[in-house]
Amino acid sequence: QTVTFADIAVAETHMKKDFMVMEADGTKTMYIVTLNGVDEPKVGVPDGLNPFTLTVAKKATMMSFPAVSDLEITVDPQMPSMNHGSAGNVNPTHASKGQYKGTLSFAMTGQWEVTFTFSRAGKMLGTVMYTFDL
């Protein structure tokens, strides 16, 4: 069965990031990451808890991007101007089909840098960072 989609607009977004991993056999693998759920983030305590979904896939070919479900991911929000992070974050865990669910906390308004670190079996693979101006 063939499915055809017409009139679909694809927009580039700052929520898509990628990182490269050098595999044990010497090949490089590109991982594609998207962050969803923080389009209009809440700020402050206790209301500043923002559930999010991080989706991770790897580039197998130019037309194939299988979901990745075996990663450990940590989230680290930092406010560089104030030299601190925020409490209440929950590292994302795999829910289904490459989707990882977690919670992100912004303690106050200002610029935040949120770094996600990706590991497999205790080996760090890479990081991506998102910037939020709140």
Side-chain angles (χ1 to χ4, degrees):
Q1 177 180 6
T2 302
V3 177
T4 303
F5 297 95
D7 300 322
I8 295 178
V10 177
E12 189 63 31
T13 171
H14 68 282
M15 294 299 172
K16 180 208 153 275
K17 306 283 184 180
D18 58 62
F19 64 95
M20 296 290 283
V21 173
M22 181 68 76
E23 304 294 349
D25 64 3
T27 62
K28 291 181 181 178
T29 301
M30 177 184 286
Y31 288 80
I32 296 94
V33 179
T34 58
L35 176 60
N36 296 293
V38 285
D39 299 330
E40 295 180 27
K42 295 182 254 174
V43 178
V45 178
D47 298 329
L49 297 179
N50 299 278
F52 68 87
T53 302
L54 202 66
T55 303
V56 184
K58 67 179 178 177
K59 180 180 176 183
T61 68
M62 290 299 287
M63 299 301 289
S64 175
F65 299 85
V68 179
S69 60
D70 62 344
L71 299 176
E72 298 101 37
I73 305 172
T74 59
V75 60
D76 182 25
Q78 292 292 317
M79 188 175 206
S81 66
M82 301 296 282
N83 198 30
H84 67 73
S86 63
N89 301 287
V90 177
N91 288 329
T93 57
H94 188 255
S96 71
K97 299 179 184 175
Q99 294 183 340
Y100 295 77
K101 307 259 185 202
T103 304
L104 182 57
S105 173
F106 296 112
M108 59 193 306
T109 59
Q111 186 178 64
W112 288 86
E113 294 176 349
V114 180
T115 302
F116 291 95
T117 302
F118 301 86
S119 302
R120 179 180 290 118
K123 179 185 173 199
M124 202 272 271
L125 300 176
T127 63
V128 297
M129 185 178 70
Y130 296 88
T131 303
F132 295 89
D133 289 312
L134 309 174

